[in-house]
Amino acid sequence: MSDFYDALETRPAAAREAALMAALPGVVAQAQRTTAYAELLAGVDPAQVSSRTALAALPVVRKHELLERQQAARAAGGDPFGGFAAIGWTGLHHPRGARRVFQSPGPIYEPEGEGTDYWRMARALYAAGLRAGDLAHCSFSYHLTPAGSMMESGAHAIGCTTFAGGVGNTELQLQAVAELRPQAYIGTPSFLKILVEKAAEGGTALGSLRKALVSGEAFPPSLRDWLAERGIAAYQCYATADLGLIAYETTARQGLVLDEGVIVEIVRPGTGDPVPEGEVGELVVTTLNPDYPLVRFGTGDLSAVLPGPCPTGRSNGRIKGWMGRADQTAKVRGMFVHPSQVAEVLRRFPEALKARLVVEGEMATDRMTLKVEAATQPDGLAARIADAVRDVTKLRAEVQLLAPGSLPNDGKVIEDARSYQ
């Protein structure tokens, strides 16, 4: 039996990149048929967007912007998807119908279209060891949010049978695991730990459960090892309700391999500028889904690209996984300071390579220090940068010039180090 879900996972990297770039103009053209992207990408010739350089010139749409557009459209009695979806139902004037609609916190509404494994989750489940004929116990929510449906459709594409456990009802779910004897678990890692602990407390045998795909939470190595000691090989994946599967873990346990149906960039937080390989930044994703054609969608999550291919033989790129949130907005002396403002300051100085704004002090005594890595440090540079900070943020800041490579590689643009006690 193959270790790979399909041949796409092991195709030459150059062939994959060529296929993605060949598909990109069509994705942009489809996006422009939606009312939101018709505005956001006005004047863009889709045929010219056939490289990562051209893609990087397009605006990043972040989740808070999608939410704001949805809220404004709903308030006006318009499209509840904010003009981003190409499918809907009678009254939304879309040529194709949606199969389901889900609600995520915000609330943000997401459409689901027709198709087998619509969210592309089968690839992650297969990498976690699930195979045709397995019974998979799914404890993701089937209510409002799409997680349960996302995972179940992927399991069905493999040929698995699923038990729709949903969330809560721990005792009933534990009883189902004991009596149905599933081979696999799908859900959050914390709930799997709860099930295993409660089974041990009550003397319930969970011997059939040997593999798991977890998501929705951080999955530290300590918990992974704890589960392995109890006979469960658990793997993680990174997916969102907007984009479906983005990346998944393999038996190599070396980062997460990118899904075949997305184009991923890592950009400096607050900007759309790609960072060098290995540098931590915000994960920005373009999906090939024609029903919900999100172009340069900022997830708000931090990650970094790992060098080289996966040791398992999968040839796609890899990311380190979730490394925190990119939204680092801070309120200083009554004014909001955004990562995009720090980026604007940097753009004014070719010598400036990277910066971190550190906010310190206690309530009502805030002070800002902008630490700047500079390739050269001509006289007066710090003072000129300080003037630019005041011009952009309307706040004063001390500027410290540093040698290149001095700042940590953790994706932080604004560090709030104030005491709130």
Side-chain angles (χ1 to χ4, degrees), residues 232-246:
I232 302 173
Y235 297 85
Q236 62 181 313
C237 73
Y238 173 47
T240 73
D242 320 277
L243 300 159
L245 180 65
I246 297 171

Side-chain angles (χ1 to χ4, degrees), residues 35 69-70 73-74 77-85 87 89 92 94:
T35 56
R69 282 179 176 267
Q70 285 200 0
R74 295 197 296 264
D79 182 359
F81 299 124
F84 286 94
I87 56 175
W89 52 85
L92 294 187
H94 291 309

Side-chain angles (χ1 to χ4, degrees), residues 248-279:
Y248 59 97
E249 193 173 24
T250 72
T251 54
R253 303 283 192 188
Q254 296 183 21
L256 306 182
V257 177
L258 298 178
D259 179 52
E260 299 292 330
V262 292
I263 300 170
V264 170
E265 304 167 89
I266 305 290
V267 308
R268 186 156 286 118
T271 78
D273 305 330
V275 300
E277 183 177 291
E279 185 172 325

Side-chain angles (χ1 to χ4, degrees), residues 294-308:
L294 297 176
V295 175
R296 299 205 87 201
F297 185 71
T299 63
D301 291 327
L302 294 174
S303 193
V305 171
L306 289 173

